[in-house]
Amino acid sequence: MNVSVGSIESSDIKIVIEEGHPAIQFINMVPELPDQQVYDYVVPLLEQYGLAGRSPQIWFNGANEWVVRSRCEALAYSLNPVNQREGVTG
Amino acid sequence: MFTTYRLELPDPVTLNKLQIPVFTHMFLQQVSAHKVQVDPIQGKRISITYLSAYPREQIEQEVDAFLERFTRKPNEHPAASEEAREHTLDVVELHEPPLEHLCSCCKPSNLLNISDDLVEQGWLTLLKNQELAYHRPIIRLLEYFDQSYVDYVGRKIGDCQERQYSVLLPTAFAEKMNYFHSAPMHLLLATHLSHDQEKMLSFAEDVSRSNGRLPEDCGQYLEAPPYVLQSAPCYKVYLEMEDRVLEDNTAFVLKGQSFRNEGKRVYLLERLLNFTMREFVFLGTPDYVTRMRDLTLQWTMEWMETVGLKGECALANDPFFLPAKVKQNFKVPKHVKYEVRADIPYKNDTISIASYDTHGDFFAKTFNFRLRDNTETWSGCIGLGLERVVWSFLQQYGLDHDNWPEAIPESAQ
Amino acid sequence: MSLAAEQLVYFYVPGYKPNYIEYAMTFYPMNIILCLEDGTPEDKKLEARYVVKNALQEFTDSEHTLIVRINSVHTPHWEQDLEEVVPQRPDRIRLPMVKTADDLRQIERKVQEMLRDLGLDYTPSYEVMIECCEAIANIGDIHQASDHIYAFTFGGTDYFNDCVAKGLLDPAREVLSAKQKLGAYCRSMELQCFDTTYMAFRDLEGFREDCLLSREYGFTGRSVIHPDQVAVVQEIYGTSLA
């Protein structure tokens, strides 16, 4: 199973949940931000939506919090077994 | 993480479409902001986004200082009168190339941004610090477009002297052509540690204390940079030709790495700190250099048609070599730079993939190369940015080979 | 008299692109349409729904009028669109491809149900899109189906395609005829009436001529897709007919 939301465009964040991926992986695309700061910003939001433990791959390109939340909500919805069973998409 | 606030630009400043990218670039160089956006409709309002941890008063001070410099009228500048005395460019009116005919009218089939596809399909990998790893499909396309361009345009030009140089431009050479006046915000410099033993030891201790990290205040350990990382490969041609006499009009062909400090604007293949440029350089009479301008722009358009790339020619307004101050009488054309711009369909916009700069006699006089019997000698060059060619091609056609123009051979797929 | 952009201009932004939404927020006050329908590809519809939902929360105090174009009742997406968007109280909701009064009633029922269940003290206004021959024929009934219609708007591309699908001989002429009918109806009912997007955004002269004709037909504003079109709309629709 491979689910992806968002994009690597400016002011966005891309999150991919790939079955079998070993660990959380971060690419910080914003040069003036230390990687740790981005990690500390994004991970708590992922945890709120139950995504941090699913070894997401993340590309962060300066997304504001409302954008991170949007992406997390969409991903959480997609990964919800109820929605997958019912074939609810798009 | 980020805070955004809005500001009205002070009267009488209004930014038009052409000014907005320049304003944005300069703003981000001088203000500790993450992003700045200009209202494109009236050009009077800007939105500034900065890291929330940064003090608001500090940002506001930086913004005020920048706007003050940006809006300062020329005659308010303390050194303006001195500059005016020294500024003795003899502007030459040339016939202009037929821009209305210089277009490549191909029909791109892709309207969506391919950025995510490039990553998802493994055509490139994003590394830390905005570095990229190109995979085989990108490498093949870079090779193909370079070779096909050289084959097409080079064959039309005829006899071209081939060259290859290092990327290091000696600082003394750069100073001679007022390099540091023209685009200081793009500078990337190369230096080394001081040979002073005590400084070397101190450096080693500093590194050890910070667990292998580079000391924050490195300046004290470094020599004044003996080199600039070149912003275009063609400079080395003028370096080589210094004090030489040319038998006849001469063309050079070369490829090299270019470096431009783009700061926060770096983005995938669209804007890189380090990119590859294929250049043709022309040294000779004004008529020859101007004729090669018209011909190479035309041939570049023709080449774009053959590979399916949609675009057009346009007059540009950032000549890369002209210094702010000059101390000598140079002849330069009124319009120095013409760009080749390729369509980026998803953005309803274009990007510059190549440009022809007509230098007049600037380099010839600065470096004292001339034609036999001292005929007025000019130079000009056309440079094609290969990564941007690949980027605009993929934006126009996507990553699926089935949608690519037939002209693209199997070897490039 | 020249009216401000907020009264005349409807700027479309693809709902799945948060950077475009943030960019639109830098504009001077105008109507921003967050598009979940044609501006969002099928495989991005779910993400777009949450981007728009969170954008409405984030920019609730914005000086812009925020309008959401949901997906048509003839798609599987419209109900979930409303479920996420209505609680965020968008200023208006744009309803594409409304063909009959029943289409509109179906949407109203869903919205009213939600407002009741959530206890929301809010009533959205609708901008109803007329995009097919059936809709023009039913315009009166559609208008009667809801007390909350703010405007009708014309969807030119879909109307044209509908004419082609029906085998009509001159789809371009049919489009003009439909515009005349819609404009005349709205004028007689004193309703706002917004014209369709003009996709050739570089052709400002062509756009200007199209706007002049549209204004004669009775249209009071226009949807745009590019900043360069804004000034033309303000100029043409902002001045009263002589």
Side-chain angles (χ1 to χ4, degrees):
Chain A
M1 174 207 52
N2 195 336
V3 184
S4 162
V5 293
S7 79
I8 57 173
E9 289 183 33
S10 173
S11 303
D12 205 346
I13 181 171
K14 183 182 180 77
I15 310 172
V16 174
I17 306 277
E18 193 181 325
E19 199 166 334
H21 198 263
I24 190 167
Q25 182 186 328
F26 248 101
I27 296 289
N28 172 20
M29 297 172 68
V30 181
E32 65 264 37
L33 281 178
D35 289 357
Q36 189 62 45
Q37 194 174 346
V38 173
Y39 186 93
D40 292 342
Y41 166 61
V42 174
V43 168
L45 292 167
L46 292 172
E47 281 168 351
Q48 279 182 35
Y49 291 91
L51 298 170
R54 303 194 70 153
S55 304
Q57 299 164 69
I58 298 148
W59 291 261
F60 177 79
N61 199 0
N64 278 303
E65 186 175 322
W66 74 272
V67 178
V68 181
R69 288 192 180 282
S70 310
R71 300 315 192 183
C72 287
E73 261 193 88
L75 195 51
Y77 183 95
S78 298
L79 292 169
N80 187 333
V82 169
N83 298 325
Q84 285 174 34
R85 259 203 314 276
E86 290 177 351
V88 178
T89 56
Chain B
M1 172 77 83
F2 300 105
T3 302
T4 298
Y5 76 99
R6 272 190 227 116
L7 195 62
E8 298 285 324
L9 291 173
D11 282 328
V13 179
T14 302
L15 299 172
N16 62 34
K17 257 196 309 196
L18 288 178
Q19 291 167 321
I20 289 175
V22 175
F23 175 90
T24 306
H25 179 61
M26 290 173 66
F27 187 99
L28 292 174
Q29 291 279 337
Q30 297 177 44
V31 177
S32 307
H34 168 65
K35 192 155 76 168
V36 64
Q37 289 175 312
V38 180
D39 162 37
I41 295 159
Q42 301 199 11
K44 282 290 295 178
R45 175 198 275 201
I46 59 174
S47 275
I48 300 158
T49 302
Y50 63 96
L51 288 174
S52 301
Y54 205 80
R56 171 75 173 242
E57 311 80 52
Q58 177 76 20
I59 281 282
E60 285 177 344
Q61 276 171 24
E62 291 176 14
V63 171
D64 287 344
F66 170 78
L67 290 176
E68 209 249 322
R69 282 192 299 274
F70 187 83
T71 57
R72 185 184 295 153
K73 291 184 185 140
N75 60 10
E76 287 172 10
H77 195 291
S81 55
E82 197 188 334
E83 277 188 56
R85 272 202 299 279
E86 288 183 318
H87 187 82
T88 50
L89 287 174
D90 182 4
V91 173
V92 179
E93 291 262 4
L94 295 178
H95 74 272
E96 304 306 326
L99 293 179
E100 66 280 8
H101 299 305
L102 290 173
C103 62
S104 163
C105 304
C106 303
K107 287 188 167 41
S109 55
N110 177 58
L111 298 176
L112 299 175
N113 187 358
I114 51 97
S115 303
D116 285 273
D117 295 339
L118 287 174
V119 172
E120 283 166 17
Q121 295 188 36
W123 285 38
L124 56 83
T125 305
L126 299 183
L127 309 175
K128 288 191 182 297
N129 293 93
Q130 300 179 303
E131 282 295 310
L132 299 174
Y134 302 153
H135 297 221
R136 186 188 166 102
I138 300 281
I139 298 167
R140 288 291 170 271
L141 284 171
L142 286 165
E143 288 168 350
Y144 166 70
F145 285 121
D146 180 41
Q147 194 57 56
S148 71
Y149 185 69
V150 169
D151 287 346
Y152 192 94
V153 176
R155 197 176 313 127
K156 301 252 186 194
I157 292 171
D159 188 31
C160 270
Q161 296 198 30
E162 284 185 60
R163 290 290 188 275
Q164 184 169 310
Y165 304 102
S166 83
V167 301
L168 300 171
L169 202 61
T171 308
F173 175 79
E175 281 168 353
K176 206 165 168 177
M177 57 177 180
N178 284 294
Y179 190 92
F180 300 113
H181 282 300
S182 36
M185 59 275 198
H186 285 309
L187 275 180
L188 282 168
L189 302 165
T191 187
H192 55 84
L193 285 179
S194 168
H195 295 137
D196 181 298
Q197 283 285 352
E198 281 199 27
K199 281 190 183 174
M200 289 244 240
L201 279 169
S202 183
F203 175 81
E205 282 163 11
D206 232 339
V207 166
S208 189
R209 262 196 300 275
S210 51
N211 290 321
R213 279 197 291 274
L214 207 56
E216 269 191 35
D217 177 22
C218 260
Q220 57 182 308
Y221 302 120
L222 300 174
E223 291 291 334
Y227 296 106
V228 178
L229 296 176
Q230 65 190 14
S231 57
C234 61
Y235 291 120
K236 291 295 189 63
V237 173
Y238 317 129
L239 178 59
E240 184 186 339
M241 291 296 115
E242 190 164 22
D243 297 324
R244 297 262 202 104
V245 173
L246 300 160
E247 289 299 320
D248 201 352
N249 297 324
T250 310
F252 295 84
V253 59
L254 57 152
K255 183 169 85 171
Q257 294 297 311
S258 299
F259 297 83
R260 291 190 193 166
N261 180 19
E262 298 284 3
K264 296 160 194 168
R265 301 196 308 162
V266 168
Y267 185 65
L268 301 184
L269 296 170
E270 184 174 279
R271 194 176 291 277
L272 293 156
L273 288 180
N274 168 211
F275 59 96
T276 318
M277 199 186 291
R278 167 63 71 180
E279 286 199 89
F280 290 95
V281 180
F282 307 100
L283 311 183
T285 62
D287 177 65
Y288 168 71
V289 170
T290 310
R291 194 161 25 93
M292 295 319 293
R293 176 198 71 184
D294 295 351
L295 287 172
T296 54
L297 286 174
Q298 180 196 323
W299 293 333
T300 301
M301 284 293 126
E302 288 171 10
W303 168 75
M304 286 170 70
E305 288 261 5
T306 66
V307 300
L309 207 48
K310 182 168 190 272
E312 61 192 12
C313 261
L315 176 64
N317 59 9
D318 61 333
F320 74 105
F321 71 96
L322 268 181
K325 291 183 189 178
V326 295
K327 292 186 171 61
Q328 203 177 326
N329 196 12
F330 296 111
K331 258 192 196 165
V332 290
K334 183 177 171 190
H335 294 141
V336 170
K337 186 187 191 99
Y338 289 88
E339 284 180 331
V340 174
R341 300 189 68 88
D343 278 33
I344 305 292
Y346 89 89
K347 265 205 231 184
N348 293 321
D349 202 352
T350 57
I351 54 165
S352 175
I353 61 168
S355 66
Y356 192 102
D357 280 66
T358 313
H359 317 127
D361 63 7
F362 176 77
F363 286 114
K365 276 194 173 153
T366 302
F367 297 106
N368 191 35
F369 56 82
R370 60 209 178 281
L371 285 163
R372 190 160 287 290
D373 67 28
N374 291 318
T375 312
E376 187 180 0
T377 307
W378 278 24
S379 65
C381 63
I382 185 162
L384 181 77
L386 294 172
E387 285 84 354
R388 277 197 170 185
V389 171
V390 172
W391 174 254
S392 42
F393 176 81
L394 291 174
Q395 289 290 6
Q396 291 186 19
Y397 292 101
L399 276 60
D400 185 349
H401 304 153
D402 291 340
N403 297 330
W404 288 6
E406 280 178 20
I408 308 299
E410 285 280 333
S411 57
Q413 299 181 15
Chain C
M1 175 196 69
S2 185
L3 296 177
E6 65 209 53
Q7 294 166 277
L8 307 167
V9 182
Y10 289 77
F11 199 101
Y12 270 106
V13 179
Y16 71 113
K17 286 190 177 279
N19 48 350
Y20 283 37
I21 295 173
E22 286 182 342
Y23 184 45
M25 293 300 141
T26 69
F27 297 173
Y28 278 88
M30 65 174 68
N31 306 290
I32 305 287
I33 304 175
L34 306 175
C35 183
L36 296 172
E37 200 228 5
D38 287 350
T40 293
E42 194 66 28
D43 63 336
K44 299 289 182 190
K45 295 242 185 242
L46 183 145
E47 291 180 45
R49 190 176 297 137
Y50 291 102
V51 169
V52 167
K53 169 193 171 178
N54 283 274
L56 289 169
Q57 283 177 358
E58 177 72 9
F59 299 110
T60 187
D61 296 326
S62 155
E63 56 200 339
H64 300 289
T65 301
L66 297 180
I67 302 157
V68 179
R69 180 162 77 167
I70 63 168
N71 286 282
S72 148
V73 286
H74 307 286
T75 72
H77 310 300
W78 70 280
E79 283 186 284
Q80 284 180 285
D81 288 347
L82 286 174
E83 283 163 14
E84 296 300 340
V85 154
V86 167
Q88 311 311 324
R89 306 175 193 234
D91 295 299
R92 294 199 284 276
I93 302 176
R94 186 169 278 205
L95 309 175
M97 201 51 86
V98 170
K99 297 181 183 176
T100 64
D102 276 344
D103 288 345
L104 185 49
R105 284 191 203 106
Q106 196 179 2
I107 293 165
E108 276 245 278
R109 267 198 304 275
K110 175 75 184 178
V111 170
Q112 292 306 321
E113 212 174 85
M114 288 182 62
L115 295 176
R116 244 188 343 262
D117 292 347
L118 296 167
L120 282 175
D121 180 20
Y122 153 78
T123 309
S125 304
Y126 302 118
E127 295 176 0
V128 177
M129 293 196 75
I130 303 301
E131 302 191 271
C132 62
C133 303
E134 197 179 346
I136 274 287
N138 292 328
I139 188 77
D141 287 344
I142 292 171
H143 187 198
Q144 296 303 312
S146 171
D147 293 332
H148 303 118
I149 295 177
Y150 176 83
F152 281 103
T153 111
F154 190 69
T157 309
D158 283 324
Y159 198 96
F160 184 92
N161 292 339
D162 187 52
C163 294
V164 169
K166 286 177 164 60
L168 297 178
L169 281 176
D170 193 343
R173 187 191 277 274
E174 298 289 339
V175 166
L176 287 180
S177 168
K179 279 192 177 190
Q180 283 176 305
K181 285 181 191 152
L182 181 63
Y185 181 84
C186 289
R187 197 181 259 155
S188 69
M189 295 288 150
E190 293 182 354
L191 267 175
Q192 297 289 330
C193 189
F194 308 134
D195 204 348
T196 187
T197 53
Y198 190 88
M199 300 309 286
F201 64 89
R202 289 197 179 117
D203 177 16
L204 288 178
E205 257 323 294
F207 182 54
R208 177 183 301 277
E209 282 167 24
D210 202 69
C211 288
L212 283 167
L213 191 60
S214 155
R215 194 187 65 168
E216 268 180 44
Y217 289 162
F219 287 86
T220 57
R222 189 124 197 191
S223 301
V224 300
I225 55 160
H226 194 277
D228 286 353
Q229 296 178 319
V230 171
V232 176
V233 170
Q234 276 183 277
E235 182 203 324
I236 306 290
Y237 295 92
T239 52
S240 51
L241 289 169

